[in-house]
Amino acid sequence: MARVSLKNICKKYGNDITAVKGINLEVADKEFVVFVGPSGCGKSTTLRMIAGLEDISSGEISLDDRIINDVPPKNRDIAMVFQNYALYPHMTVYENLAFALKLRRFPAKEIERRVMEAADILGLNRSGMLKRKPKELSGGERQRVAVGRSIVRKPKVFLFDEPLSNLDAKLRLQMRREIHKLHNRLQCTMIYVTHDQVEALTLGDRIVVMKGGEILQVADPVGLYEKPSNTFVAGFIGSPPMNFLKGRIVEEDDDLYFQERGIKLRLLPQHYAKVASLKSKEVVFGIRPEDIYDKIFAQDARPEFTITATVEVVEPMGSEIFLYLNAGKNSFVARVTNQDTATVNQDLQIVFDMSKAHFFDPDTEKALV
Ligand code: ADP
């Protein structure tokens, strides 16, 4: 069992900087939780507090039912993998893997057994790798040794602080899959920090989106994508990000419309309760690029869901095309099939899948639910 519980955790640096502003989170046993957010939002600080590498200014951290605020890092049963690997340069791979166990005076036989087991899991026992020094390894191999050092300890919880940031794009994908497999194999609690939303979506059972020292939303990958609770999360998750169009909700012949110069789209009955308080007021209408179609390829091209937009940029991506469009005051991007032949400056009939529409309060930026 390894549950991690954060209660009202705050971190202040001096009097001026509050890096973490009273966060609450329960991480379940065996769960893979990813903290994601822009640089400086407090992800690493939170992880370091869980590891015991930073004091907590206020609040309570528990591992299972034990409060660990004052337990030194080495006694927490928590292992951390760092972005810069933190390997000992003068030691071989074997010695790096064995080091923490030697320090804890494990019997030699047990050390060897655990090191070989970790080396097996991570593919580090090939071609004399265990005898090499870190400088004789590639970036990916060093990262594996860093992960191996935490595995040998058989901790209750693994913490990863941007472990793949120093790897090139291809290796990052490969290591991402390996970390996924590792979680499946070890079946243990993992908490992972990244600024990369794709990494977060692909790895996490649950994702914690942070901004400015606060948690904005906690959800599984599909929940986060389909039901972002505010414009920040909606814009942070997904690439290209969700489009935000500004306009008003207007009523006409018992129907409601989202309207702005050059745009008029009929709302569906399921939206009515959401926007009720904003009738004839400003609203932010959110729609993902894949939910906007060139009329030629649209399944349901009713005129009340269709507008005319001017093509500003055509960006072919191979499997699909990004069309950057403009209508009145609003610009937005559509992700369309690579069979689309739209050209720059063309006026195009564009269809919105209104069943995928999101609405946000322009003042609070919160989703209208
Ligand atoms: P992230 O991991 O999300 O990039 P951090 O947790 O590293 O963010 O930092 C959160 C905030 O705390 C930032 O504004 C950062 O500048 C500040 N901070 C981090 N460490 C220190 C420190 N030792 N002293 C002062 N401020 C710090």
Side-chain angles (χ1 to χ4, degrees):
M1 278 289 285
R3 282 178 290 111
V4 178
S5 155
L6 310 182
K7 287 205 182 97
N8 274 318
I9 300 297
C10 282
K11 177 67 187 181
K12 290 190 173 193
Y13 291 107
N15 289 327
D16 298 334
I17 300 172
T18 307
V20 178
K21 299 175 183 165
I23 62 171
N24 290 288
L25 183 73
E26 298 285 332
V27 179
D29 184 38
K30 301 189 176 63
E31 198 175 17
F32 198 134
V33 165
V34 181
F35 281 81
V36 69
S39 179
C41 71
K43 310 178 292 289
S44 290
T45 302
T46 304
L47 202 70
R48 293 170 64 81
M49 285 192 285
I50 299 171
L53 303 173
E54 295 280 358
D55 289 335
I56 302 160
S57 304
S58 62
E60 215 173 78
I61 299 191
S62 313
L63 180 55
D64 296 328
D65 294 320
R66 176 184 181 215
I67 296 170
I68 55 168
N69 286 24
D70 299 320
V71 177
K74 65 178 171 42
N75 297 338
R76 282 194 183 193
D77 232 347
I78 292 176
M80 183 145 161
V81 179
F82 297 90
Q83 179 179 351
N84 58 7
Y85 318 138
L87 302 180
Y88 299 107
H90 58 286
M91 293 185 193
T92 63
V93 168
Y94 186 98
E95 287 162 347
N96 263 287
L97 292 172
F99 185 74
L101 303 178
K102 272 194 182 148
L103 213 60
R104 288 171 174 77
R105 304 194 183 289
F106 274 69
K109 274 252 152 5
E110 178 64 8
I111 294 178
E112 189 182 349
R113 200 183 63 72
R114 288 196 186 193
V115 168
M116 295 317 289
E117 186 184 48
D120 260 346
I121 291 174
L122 295 164
L124 287 170
N125 51 358
R126 292 193 287 262
S127 45
M129 195 108 77
L130 289 170
K131 293 198 186 109
R132 291 196 222 159
K133 300 261 173 73
K135 66 172 188 300
E136 297 164 304
L137 303 176
S138 70
E141 288 161 353
R142 276 179 216 164
Q143 186 52 267
R144 273 192 211 117
V145 179
V147 173
R149 281 207 317 191
S150 59
I151 294 180
V152 294
R153 286 180 49 198
K154 298 190 186 293
K156 283 190 160 185
V157 181
F158 286 84
L159 307 179
F160 295 90
D161 191 2
E162 303 251 8
L164 310 185
S165 309
N166 289 344
L167 305 176
D168 64 48
K170 195 169 165 210
L171 205 51
R172 210 155 54 222
L173 289 184
Q174 187 190 334
M175 285 303 291
R176 194 170 84 196
R177 282 195 296 273
E178 289 194 17
I179 288 178
H180 217 140
K181 277 197 240 161
L182 194 67
H183 181 246
N184 292 342
R185 173 159 182 174
L186 300 180
Q187 288 285 310
C188 55
T189 310
M190 292 186 170
I191 306 177
Y192 188 104
V193 159
T194 178
H195 62 272
D196 179 343
Q197 52 102 13
V198 176
E199 213 166 281
L201 290 180
T202 48
L203 281 173
D205 295 323
R206 272 194 312 156
I207 297 153
V208 178
V209 183
M210 285 187 78
K211 186 190 171 204
E214 292 175 301
I215 292 180
L216 293 192
Q217 188 169 2
V218 184
D220 63 89
V222 176
L224 207 59
Y225 195 79
E226 300 283 340
K227 289 200 169 87
S229 63
N230 53 61
T231 51
F232 178 82
V233 175
F236 191 73
I237 303 291
S239 177
M242 183 184 284
N243 295 293
F244 299 115
L245 285 69
K246 284 202 169 146
R248 286 176 183 280
I249 302 292
V250 296
E251 190 166 358
E252 221 176 270
D253 302 332
D254 290 337
D255 282 326
L256 292 183
Y257 291 83
F258 170 78
Q259 193 169 350
E260 178 52 75
R261 183 156 58 84
I263 300 177
K264 187 173 177 191
L265 295 164
R266 184 162 68 77
L267 269 53
L268 304 178
Q270 69 250 37
H271 303 136
Y272 287 12
K274 293 184 189 181
V275 301
S277 63
L278 291 173
K279 253 186 235 173
S280 51
K281 291 200 187 130
E282 283 248 317
V283 70
V284 176
F285 165 62
I287 185 104
R288 294 215 180 264
E290 63 268 32
D291 300 323
I292 305 176
Y293 298 86
D294 181 338
K295 188 178 172 185
I296 305 171
F297 296 98
Q299 301 249 335
D300 176 2
R302 278 181 276 174
E304 59 265 40
F305 305 132
T306 306
I307 66 167
T308 306
T310 309
V311 180
E312 293 191 319
V313 176
V314 177
E315 223 171 61
M317 302 297 294
S319 63
E320 58 200 359
I321 296 173
F322 297 164
L323 293 180
Y324 290 84
L325 301 154
N326 177 270
K329 290 183 193 167
N330 284 294
S331 293
F332 51 96
V333 53
R335 198 167 153 172
V336 299
T337 160
N338 62 4
Q339 300 303 304
D340 203 295
T341 54
T343 52
V344 173
N345 290 330
Q346 186 183 348
D347 281 342
L348 211 58
Q349 294 293 102
I350 294 292
V351 181
F352 287 72
D353 179 351
M354 291 303 281
S355 70
K356 300 288 176 61
H358 300 255
F359 295 95
F360 303 92
D361 184 311
D363 297 324
T364 64
E365 301 188 343
K366 289 198 172 137
L368 299 166
V369 288

